[in-house]
Amino acid sequence: MILLGRSLVVNLIPAVQETLEVISRRAGRPLHAPLVVDERGRPVLQIVTADGVVGRVLPADDVVRDLLYVRGRLEPTVHAHLQDGLTGDEHHATRCLVACLRSRAVLSALQRLVAGLLRAPT
C-alpha cells in the first residue's frame, strides 16, 4: 500500500506542475511551478511568474491533500482505485494509478487548484 501511495504522489506532483504551466500559458499568464525544498526540508511548489517573481509557495503535502482528500478522508473514487490496485500484479496496479489520476474527482480538484492560482494576485 505504501508503494502504491508513493507512486501516486510521485506521478501527481509532476502532473500538477505540467498542468499549471500549460493552462497558465494558454490563459496568457504563464506560471512556472518548480518543486524545491523549503528551509525545513519539505518539498514545496513555488509559483513563479514569467518575469521570475516567486508568488505563492505550496507545500507538496497540501497539494496532495487538496487533490486526493475530502473532509480528511480519501475521496471515494481515489480510495476505490487504490484498493483495486492492491488486487493484481504490477501492471494492474499501474493501470489503477493512471485511472486514479484521470478520475473526475482528481481532475476536478486539479481544475479548482489551477483556477485559484490563476485568480490569485502574484
Side-chain angles (χ1 to χ4, degrees), residues 50-89:
D51 47 336
V53 175
V54 176
R56 295 186 54 195
V57 176
L58 303 172
D61 56 343
D62 289 352
V63 172
V64 169
R65 182 199 63 224
D66 293 347
L67 296 180
L68 302 180
Y69 287 81
V70 175
R71 292 183 294 281
R73 298 185 60 100
L74 268 177
E75 198 282 329
T77 305
V78 171
H79 182 268
H81 285 300
L82 292 177
Q83 191 70 39
D84 187 28
L86 297 174
T87 63
D89 62 5

